[in-house]
Amino acid sequence: LPIYDATLRAFPRSLVANGTGLVAGENLLPLAVGSGAVFIAHAFDDEIQKRIAGRAPTVGHVGDAMGDGFLVAGSVLGLFVTGQLVPAVRFREVTFDLMQGLVINSVLTSIVKLSVGRERPDSTNSRSFPSGHTSTSVMLATVLGSHLGPRVAIPAAALAAFVGASRIEHNRHYVSDVVAGATLGYVVGRTVTAHVRRDGGSERRVTVYPVASPDACGVLLTFRW
């Protein structure tokens, strides 16, 4: 199998490849499901906003801080630079994909926000759709989960869900904005980590074997962490 090039010189080339990879056939299903979910959620935007917004201010403030663009960008950039300097290949690949995902996700989220121009629930501006905090959080969770498996994917997904819910509570987004952000973040995350699936990295984490004997039959699951 070819060695994944996660060096700085490969970054522009990978950025172009991942950008075009967003329209790959394997992304059509999650995009279709996400679009359908956005359509359904839109019907409940006002009702959910009335029930959730302003009910738990601490949650809103914490989620706002967790998804702060400068904080996230600075953290990912720092990890990326570190990954380029240290000899740990796996760390370099993870941080490379995180940076790829951050750049692509940020550009796409900004384009959609400006194109749609939906007013926020608090009427501060017209950049409500989709939720950037949510798209970034889900993208990060998807990349980390693809590389590091369920032990990281589950808590990362829980944090992303928390951030998404906090945006509704904070009255900065409608639920359909959050669902759209989650869809975008997931598609970007799975696109920049497509090489993990191609080389079998993610599939080898869980293996299923059929087991049969004179006394019983079933399956054996093996996990590689």
Side-chain angles (χ1 to χ4, degrees):
L1 291 174
I3 297 175
Y4 181 58
D5 190 353
T7 59
L8 183 59
R9 66 174 178 274
F11 196 86
R13 181 175 68 251
S14 295
L15 203 60
V16 173
N18 285 323
T20 56
L22 291 169
V23 295
E26 63 180 13
N27 285 334
L28 293 180
L29 180 59
L31 282 173
V33 172
S35 298
V38 170
F39 180 79
I40 294 172
H42 181 67
F44 300 95
D45 275 343
D46 292 335
E47 180 180 350
I48 292 176
Q49 205 68 24
K50 292 177 182 178
R51 292 178 178 272
I52 296 180
R55 297 301 178 90
T58 301
V59 172
H61 289 301
V62 172
D64 186 51
M66 288 175 59
D68 179 75
F70 291 106
L71 175 63
V72 173
S75 300
V76 173
L77 179 60
L79 290 171
F80 173 71
V81 172
T82 303
Q84 295 299 305
L85 298 176
V86 301
V89 175
R90 189 181 189 189
F91 181 76
R92 183 183 304 126
E93 291 182 357
V94 175
T95 55
F96 184 90
D97 288 347
L98 286 173
M99 194 66 195
Q100 287 274 314
L102 181 65
V103 172
I104 295 173
N105 184 79
S106 298
V107 171
L108 285 179
T109 299
S110 297
I111 290 174
V112 177
K113 280 179 177 290
L114 293 173
S115 299
V116 175
R118 186 184 196 185
E119 188 175 16
R120 292 186 187 272
D122 62 2
S123 302
T124 54
N125 59 47
S126 299
R127 298 180 182 178
S128 186
F129 185 92
S131 167
H133 278 59
T134 306
S135 66
T136 301
S137 300
V138 172
M139 181 278 296
L140 295 175
T142 303
V143 172
L144 292 174
S146 296
H147 278 283
L148 305 176
R151 288 191 304 177
V152 174
I154 293 173
L159 287 174
F162 174 84
V163 170
S166 75
R167 302 308 285 160
I168 303 173
E169 192 289 328
H170 211 41
N171 205 33
R172 296 290 286 170
H173 289 287
Y174 296 101
V175 64
S176 58
D177 301 334
V178 171
V179 174
T183 301
L184 178 60
Y186 174 70
V187 170
V188 172
R190 79 192 306 266
T191 299
V192 300
T193 55
H195 63 93
V196 179
R197 296 191 298 278
R198 284 197 298 268
D199 67 18
S202 58
E203 284 77 9
R204 289 198 299 267
R205 297 186 182 280
V206 181
T207 309
V208 182
Y209 297 101
V211 177
S213 70
D215 301 319
C217 63
V219 295
L220 172 66
L221 298 177
T222 62
F223 295 85
R224 179 177 66 83
W225 305 103

